[in-house]
Amino acid sequence: MSEHRTILITGASSGIGRALALAYAAPSVRLALIGRNAERLEETVAEAEAKGAQVVAARLDVRDRDAMQTWIAAQDAARPFDLAIANAGITTGLGSNGGKEDPEAVRALLATNLFGVLNTVEPLIGPMCARGRGQLAFVGSIAGLRGLPFSPAYCASKAAVHAYAESLRGSLEGRGVVVSLVIPGFVKTPLNDAIKAAKPLEIDAAQAAKIIRRGLSRGKATIVFPLPLYLVARLARLLPPRLVDRLFAQFDVNVPETRERVRP
Protein backbone atom coordinates (compact mmCIF):
# COMPACT_ATOMS: atom_id res chain seq x y z
CA MET A 1 0.00 0.00 0.00
CA SER A 2 1.10 3.61 -0.56
CA GLU A 3 1.73 5.85 2.43
CA HIS A 4 -1.39 7.43 3.92
CA ARG A 5 -1.70 11.17 3.42
CA THR A 6 -5.19 12.08 4.62
CA ILE A 7 -6.11 10.49 7.93
CA LEU A 8 -9.04 10.62 10.34
CA ILE A 9 -8.37 9.65 13.97
CA THR A 10 -10.90 9.62 16.79
CA GLY A 11 -9.90 9.78 20.44
CA ALA A 12 -6.98 11.97 19.39
CA SER A 13 -6.75 13.99 22.60
CA SER A 14 -4.93 11.28 24.57
CA GLY A 15 -3.55 7.75 24.63
CA ILE A 16 -3.19 5.73 21.45
CA GLY A 17 -5.13 8.27 19.38
CA ARG A 18 -2.77 11.09 20.30
CA ALA A 19 0.27 8.90 19.72
CA LEU A 20 -1.05 7.91 16.29
CA ALA A 21 -1.62 11.55 15.34
CA LEU A 22 1.97 12.39 16.23
CA ALA A 23 3.31 9.26 14.52
CA TYR A 24 1.64 10.23 11.26
CA ALA A 25 2.29 13.98 11.49
CA ALA A 26 4.62 15.13 8.72
CA PRO A 27 4.73 17.59 5.83
CA SER A 28 2.16 16.75 3.12
CA VAL A 29 -0.01 14.84 5.63
CA ARG A 30 -3.48 16.12 6.49
CA LEU A 31 -4.84 14.97 9.84
CA ALA A 32 -8.50 15.23 10.84
CA LEU A 33 -8.59 14.77 14.59
CA ILE A 34 -11.60 14.22 16.84
CA GLY A 35 -11.51 14.41 20.63
CA ARG A 36 -13.61 15.58 23.56
CA ASN A 37 -11.04 17.29 25.77
CA ALA A 38 -10.49 20.65 24.13
CA GLU A 39 -7.25 21.50 25.94
CA ARG A 40 -5.56 18.17 25.26
CA LEU A 41 -6.82 18.16 21.67
CA GLU A 42 -5.28 21.59 21.11
CA GLU A 43 -1.97 20.27 22.46
CA THR A 44 -2.08 17.37 20.00
CA VAL A 45 -2.85 19.75 17.15
CA ALA A 46 0.02 22.06 18.08
CA GLU A 47 2.53 19.19 18.24
CA ALA A 48 1.33 17.70 14.96
CA GLU A 49 1.52 21.07 13.22
CA ALA A 50 5.02 21.58 14.60
CA LYS A 51 5.99 18.42 12.73
CA GLY A 52 4.69 19.94 9.51
CA ALA A 53 1.25 18.35 9.24
CA GLN A 54 -1.86 20.18 8.13
CA VAL A 55 -4.41 19.62 10.89
CA VAL A 56 -8.13 20.15 11.24
CA ALA A 57 -9.71 19.21 14.55
CA ALA A 58 -13.15 19.06 16.12
CA ARG A 59 -14.26 18.71 19.69
CA LEU A 60 -16.92 16.07 19.12
CA ASP A 61 -18.49 13.24 21.07
CA VAL A 62 -18.34 10.09 18.94
CA ARG A 63 -21.76 9.17 20.37
CA ASP A 64 -23.32 12.10 18.51
CA ARG A 65 -24.26 10.44 15.25
CA ASP A 66 -25.53 13.55 13.45
CA ALA A 67 -22.53 15.71 14.37
CA MET A 68 -20.09 12.97 13.39
CA GLN A 69 -21.84 12.40 10.06
CA THR A 70 -21.85 16.10 9.21
CA TRP A 71 -18.23 16.80 10.12
CA ILE A 72 -16.69 13.64 8.68
CA ALA A 73 -18.60 13.96 5.41
CA ALA A 74 -17.51 17.59 5.06
CA GLN A 75 -13.86 16.75 5.66
CA ASP A 76 -13.96 13.82 3.26
CA ALA A 77 -15.52 16.03 0.60
CA ALA A 78 -12.77 18.63 1.09
CA ARG A 79 -10.00 16.04 0.78
CA PRO A 80 -10.90 12.35 0.61
CA PHE A 81 -9.60 10.22 3.45
CA ASP A 82 -7.02 7.53 2.72
CA LEU A 83 -7.38 6.11 6.22
CA ALA A 84 -9.87 6.36 9.08
CA ILE A 85 -8.94 5.01 12.52
CA ALA A 86 -11.88 4.35 14.86
CA ASN A 87 -9.95 4.55 18.11
CA ALA A 88 -12.04 6.42 20.70
CA GLY A 89 -13.08 4.30 23.66
CA ILE A 90 -13.61 4.13 27.39
CA THR A 91 -13.53 1.33 29.93
CA THR A 92 -15.61 0.28 32.88
CA GLY A 93 -15.76 -2.66 35.25
CA LEU A 94 -17.09 -4.02 38.48
CA GLY A 95 -14.84 -1.76 40.55
CA SER A 96 -14.22 -2.94 44.08
CA ASN A 97 -17.86 -3.85 44.79
CA GLY A 98 -18.12 -7.00 42.68
CA GLY A 99 -21.53 -8.26 41.68
CA LYS A 100 -22.76 -6.40 38.64
CA GLU A 101 -21.85 -3.34 36.61
CA ASP A 102 -23.96 -0.21 36.84
CA PRO A 103 -26.48 -0.39 33.96
CA GLU A 104 -26.02 3.30 33.15
CA ALA A 105 -22.25 2.90 32.99
CA VAL A 106 -22.66 -0.12 30.72
CA ARG A 107 -24.85 1.80 28.30
CA ALA A 108 -22.46 4.75 28.25
CA LEU A 109 -19.60 2.41 27.42
CA LEU A 110 -21.49 0.68 24.62
CA ALA A 111 -22.54 4.05 23.22
CA THR A 112 -18.89 5.06 22.95
CA ASN A 113 -17.07 1.83 22.17
CA LEU A 114 -19.59 0.35 19.75
CA PHE A 115 -21.92 3.03 18.43
CA GLY A 116 -19.07 5.54 18.39
CA VAL A 117 -17.24 3.20 16.03
CA LEU A 118 -20.28 2.96 13.77
CA ASN A 119 -20.62 6.74 13.79
CA THR A 120 -16.99 7.02 12.69
CA VAL A 121 -16.95 4.62 9.76
CA GLU A 122 -20.51 4.71 8.42
CA PRO A 123 -20.08 8.16 6.79
CA LEU A 124 -17.06 6.83 4.87
CA ILE A 125 -18.13 3.38 3.69
CA GLY A 126 -20.14 4.70 0.75
CA PRO A 127 -17.60 7.29 -0.42
CA MET A 128 -14.64 4.92 -0.11
CA CYS A 129 -16.47 2.20 -2.02
CA ALA A 130 -17.41 4.71 -4.72
CA ARG A 131 -13.75 5.70 -5.05
CA GLY A 132 -12.62 2.09 -4.96
CA ARG A 133 -9.92 2.83 -2.39
CA GLY A 134 -9.35 3.71 1.26
CA GLN A 135 -8.70 1.95 4.55
CA LEU A 136 -10.80 1.57 7.70
CA ALA A 137 -9.01 0.64 10.91
CA PHE A 138 -10.68 -0.50 14.11
CA VAL A 139 -8.97 -0.47 17.50
CA GLY A 140 -10.17 -3.51 19.42
CA SER A 141 -8.50 -5.22 22.37
CA ILE A 142 -7.14 -8.58 23.50
CA ALA A 143 -9.96 -8.30 26.06
CA GLY A 144 -12.34 -8.77 23.13
CA LEU A 145 -11.06 -12.29 22.51
CA ARG A 146 -12.45 -13.80 25.70
CA GLY A 147 -14.80 -12.47 28.37
CA LEU A 148 -13.14 -11.35 31.61
CA PRO A 149 -15.08 -11.48 34.90
CA PHE A 150 -13.97 -8.01 36.02
CA SER A 151 -15.07 -6.03 32.92
CA PRO A 152 -17.99 -7.71 31.15
CA ALA A 153 -19.27 -4.71 29.18
CA TYR A 154 -15.83 -3.67 27.97
CA CYS A 155 -15.10 -7.19 26.72
CA ALA A 156 -18.49 -7.33 25.02
CA SER A 157 -17.96 -3.98 23.30
CA LYS A 158 -14.57 -4.97 21.93
CA ALA A 159 -15.81 -8.40 20.86
CA ALA A 160 -18.54 -6.62 18.91
CA VAL A 161 -15.99 -4.32 17.26
CA HIS A 162 -13.92 -7.36 16.28
CA ALA A 163 -16.92 -9.08 14.69
CA TYR A 164 -18.01 -5.91 12.90
CA ALA A 165 -14.55 -5.26 11.48
CA GLU A 166 -14.18 -8.86 10.34
CA SER A 167 -17.60 -8.74 8.68
CA LEU A 168 -16.82 -5.48 6.90
CA ARG A 169 -13.50 -6.83 5.71
CA GLY A 170 -15.30 -9.65 3.95
CA SER A 171 -17.81 -7.34 2.33
CA LEU A 172 -15.69 -4.28 1.46
CA GLU A 173 -12.30 -5.50 0.34
CA GLY A 174 -13.71 -6.74 -2.95
CA ARG A 175 -14.68 -3.12 -3.57
CA GLY A 176 -11.20 -1.75 -2.94
CA VAL A 177 -11.57 -0.75 0.73
CA VAL A 178 -8.99 -2.30 3.07
CA VAL A 179 -10.21 -3.17 6.58
CA SER A 180 -7.75 -3.67 9.44
CA LEU A 181 -8.41 -4.74 13.01
CA VAL A 182 -5.95 -3.69 15.72
CA ILE A 183 -5.87 -6.01 18.75
CA PRO A 184 -3.58 -4.48 21.40
CA GLY A 185 -2.71 -5.71 24.85
CA PHE A 186 -1.80 -3.36 27.68
CA VAL A 187 -0.77 0.09 26.50
CA LYS A 188 0.23 2.72 29.02
CA THR A 189 -2.47 5.37 28.66
CA PRO A 190 -4.62 7.40 31.07
CA LEU A 191 -7.39 4.87 30.39
CA ASN A 192 -5.30 1.91 31.50
CA ASP A 193 -3.52 3.72 34.32
CA ALA A 194 -6.78 3.67 36.30
CA ILE A 195 -6.92 -0.13 36.20
CA LYS A 196 -5.39 -1.80 39.23
CA ALA A 197 -3.94 -5.08 38.02
CA ALA A 198 -0.82 -6.76 36.74
CA LYS A 199 -0.23 -5.57 33.18
CA PRO A 200 2.07 -8.06 31.51
CA LEU A 201 4.13 -6.87 28.54
CA GLU A 202 2.74 -3.33 28.78
CA ILE A 203 4.20 -0.86 26.26
CA ASP A 204 3.90 2.89 25.93
CA ALA A 205 1.55 4.61 23.50
CA ALA A 206 4.34 5.73 21.15
CA GLN A 207 5.52 2.13 20.73
CA ALA A 208 1.94 1.02 20.11
CA ALA A 209 1.45 3.72 17.48
CA LYS A 210 4.61 2.63 15.69
CA ILE A 211 3.42 -0.99 15.54
CA ILE A 212 -0.06 0.05 14.39
CA ARG A 213 1.25 2.40 11.70
CA ARG A 214 3.58 -0.26 10.31
CA GLY A 215 0.77 -2.80 10.18
CA LEU A 216 -1.67 -0.40 8.55
CA SER A 217 0.88 0.63 5.92
CA ARG A 218 1.15 -3.03 4.97
CA GLY A 219 -2.62 -3.41 4.80
CA LYS A 220 -2.62 -6.18 7.40
CA ALA A 221 -6.00 -7.69 8.22
CA THR A 222 -5.12 -7.94 11.91
CA ILE A 223 -2.43 -6.18 13.90
CA VAL A 224 -1.85 -7.92 17.23
CA PHE A 225 0.58 -7.10 20.02
CA PRO A 226 2.12 -8.38 22.15
CA LEU A 227 2.01 -11.75 20.44
CA PRO A 228 2.54 -13.89 23.60
CA LEU A 229 -0.46 -12.30 25.36
CA TYR A 230 -2.57 -12.66 22.23
CA LEU A 231 -1.72 -16.37 22.02
CA VAL A 232 -2.60 -16.87 25.70
CA ALA A 233 -6.00 -15.26 25.05
CA ARG A 234 -6.56 -17.50 22.04
CA LEU A 235 -5.60 -20.54 24.11
CA ALA A 236 -8.17 -19.51 26.75
CA ARG A 237 -10.85 -19.94 24.06
CA LEU A 238 -9.82 -23.58 23.60
CA LEU A 239 -9.64 -24.65 27.24
CA PRO A 240 -12.72 -25.74 29.26
CA PRO A 241 -14.67 -22.54 30.00
CA ARG A 242 -15.16 -23.07 33.75
CA LEU A 243 -11.50 -23.92 34.19
CA VAL A 244 -10.58 -20.59 32.61
CA ASP A 245 -13.19 -18.84 34.77
CA ARG A 246 -11.57 -20.26 37.90
CA LEU A 247 -8.12 -19.20 36.71
CA PHE A 248 -9.26 -15.65 36.07
CA ALA A 249 -10.91 -15.53 39.50
CA GLN A 250 -7.47 -15.88 41.09
CA PHE A 251 -6.31 -12.51 39.71
CA ASP A 252 -6.57 -9.37 41.84
CA VAL A 253 -8.05 -6.87 39.38
CA ASN A 254 -9.95 -3.63 39.92
CA VAL A 255 -11.39 -1.97 36.83
CA PRO A 256 -13.08 1.23 38.04
CA GLU A 257 -16.60 2.10 36.99
CA THR A 258 -16.68 4.83 34.37
CA ARG A 259 -18.20 8.16 35.35
CA GLU A 260 -19.61 8.47 31.83
CA ARG A 261 -23.36 8.34 31.41
CA VAL A 262 -25.56 8.39 28.34
CA ARG A 263 -26.98 11.85 27.82
CA PRO A 264 -30.79 12.07 27.92
Side-chain angles (χ1 to χ4, degrees), residues 50-190:
K51 297 179 74 171
Q54 178 190 353
V55 185
V56 292
R59 183 177 176 271
L60 289 176
D61 188 330
V62 295
R63 299 177 295 185
D64 189 333
R65 178 181 175 186
D66 291 339
M68 290 284 286
Q69 166 69 39
T70 298
W71 194 81
I72 291 172
Q75 297 305 319
D76 187 64
R79 186 170 167 183
F81 288 115
D82 302 315
L83 168 66
I85 305 175
N87 164 75
I90 61 175
T91 188
T92 195
L94 301 178
S96 58
N97 296 324
K100 68 167 188 163
E101 294 175 296
D102 183 285
E104 297 304 319
V106 168
R107 281 150 182 79
L109 179 135
L110 292 174
T112 300
N113 291 14
L114 179 54
F115 293 111
V117 165
L118 301 181
N119 295 340
T120 301
V121 302
E122 284 177 342
L124 295 174
I125 292 174
M128 283 187 173
C129 287
R131 295 191 290 266
R133 65 181 186 278
Q135 185 173 13
L136 299 174
F138 299 81
V139 178
S141 171
I142 285 179
L145 298 175
R146 207 279 183 188
L148 304 174
F150 21 82
S151 52
Y154 180 78
C155 294
S157 71
K158 291 303 185 179
V161 169
H162 291 194
Y164 182 66
E166 290 163 354
S167 299
L168 281 187
R169 189 173 66 239
S171 66
L172 297 185
E173 292 203 340
R175 304 179 68 180
V177 180
V178 175
V179 177
S180 297
L181 172 62
V182 181
I183 307 178
F186 290 107
V187 178
K188 187 169 178 55
T189 66

Side-chain angles (χ1 to χ4, degrees), residues 200-219:
L201 304 176
E202 183 179 51
I203 63 174
D204 65 34
Q207 289 176 284
K210 183 177 180 180
I211 294 168
I212 294 168
R213 180 180 177 180
R214 183 169 62 244
L216 293 178
S217 70
R218 296 173 180 173

